[in-house]
């Protein structure tokens, strides 16, 4: 069964700076969290932070794909994906930093995620990791920003690798 939630909140370029979104994320994170596109907002979770922008408070300032491909530490229980949702958004709002090719990023995530772990993704789509990567959709949240502003969709998908 998939749980669907609808929340109204303002839009901000730093998604987690919006209180209802931040609280929703903190409520649903499990265990050790990798925040791949961290931005300035510190979450009240056990968080390893990555942001390409060296001005952001982060443990790493690496391209997200490079971080995943080279990760040799313990696996994570939750991985947060909140990249710029479109090339235009990246160019206009994030100093022109372009995030990694998203498909390659998604292909690398399972090797850094514990079995039974979750991926929480923000963007314009509800299915991100997908059954082909052995994920099942558990929860979808629609964050309505009002007016002519596109809604933000958050999904929680759980990883079920082969036994």
């Amino acid at each position: 069964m998939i749980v669907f939630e609808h929340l109204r909140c303002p839009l901000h370029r730093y998604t987690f700076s919006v209180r209802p979104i931040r609280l929703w994320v903190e409520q649903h994170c499990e265990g050790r969290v990798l925040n791949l596109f961290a931005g300035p907002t510190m979450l009240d979770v056990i968080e390893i932070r990555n942001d390409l922008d060296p001005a952001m408070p982060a443990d790493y300032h690496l391209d997200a794909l490079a971080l995943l491909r080279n990760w040799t530490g313990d696996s994570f229980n939750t991985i947060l994906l909140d990249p710029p949702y479109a090339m235009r958004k990246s160019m206009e709002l994030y100093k022109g930093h372009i995030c990694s090719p998203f498909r390659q990023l998604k292909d690398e995530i399972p090797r850094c995620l514990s079995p039974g772990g979750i991926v929480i993704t923000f963007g314009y789509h509800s299915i991100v990791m997908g059954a082909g990567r052995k994920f099942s959709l558990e929860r979808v949240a629609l964050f309505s920003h009002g007016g002519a502003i596109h809604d933000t969709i958050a999904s929680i998908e759980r990883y079920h690798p082969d036994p």
Side-chain angles (χ1 to χ4, degrees):
M1 179 166 118
I2 299 171
V3 175
F4 179 81
E5 298 172 85
H6 181 256
L7 297 102
R8 295 172 83 41
C9 61
L11 178 67
H12 192 276
R13 72 189 256 188
Y14 295 115
T15 309
F16 302 149
S17 71
V18 178
R19 188 172 189 272
I21 295 175
R22 187 184 72 250
L23 293 174
W24 185 89
V25 168
E26 290 171 348
Q27 177 185 9
H28 291 95
C29 281
E30 299 175 356
R32 195 160 168 259
V33 177
L34 173 60
N35 189 345
L36 277 174
F37 302 89
T41 306
M42 307 291 280
L43 298 172
D44 189 17
V45 297
I46 302 166
E47 179 184 28
I48 302 296
R49 299 170 52 79
N50 180 62
D51 197 292
L52 193 56
D53 185 348
M56 292 297 149
D59 302 293
Y60 300 95
H61 295 286
L62 300 170
D63 175 78
L65 183 58
L67 182 106
L68 290 172
R69 284 185 171 160
N70 295 300
W71 187 256
T72 58
D74 293 337
S75 59
F76 297 93
N77 306 100
T78 301
I79 295 179
L80 295 175
L81 288 177
D82 183 32
Y85 305 159
M87 180 70 75
R88 180 194 56 77
K89 187 174 179 181
S90 179
M91 298 304 291
E92 291 175 5
L93 300 176
Y94 299 99
K95 303 176 189 173
H97 292 291
I98 307 297
C99 66
S100 298
F102 205 56
R103 183 181 181 132
Q104 292 176 40
L105 195 72
K106 294 186 299 184
D107 288 344
E108 290 295 324
I109 284 174
R111 63 173 224 81
C112 299
L113 188 64
S114 299
I118 61 172
V119 174
I120 301 176
T121 307
F122 286 80
Y124 297 139
H125 307 284
S126 59
I127 301 289
V128 177
M129 297 304 295
R133 291 185 187 87
K134 302 183 189 288
F135 283 81
S136 62
L137 182 65
E138 290 188 350
R139 183 177 295 267
V140 173
L142 186 67
F143 295 96
S144 295
H145 308 300
I149 301 170
H150 292 290
D151 292 342
T152 299
I153 300 171
S155 63
I156 298 178
E157 295 170 279
R158 190 165 302 275
Y159 182 46
H160 303 284
D162 293 330

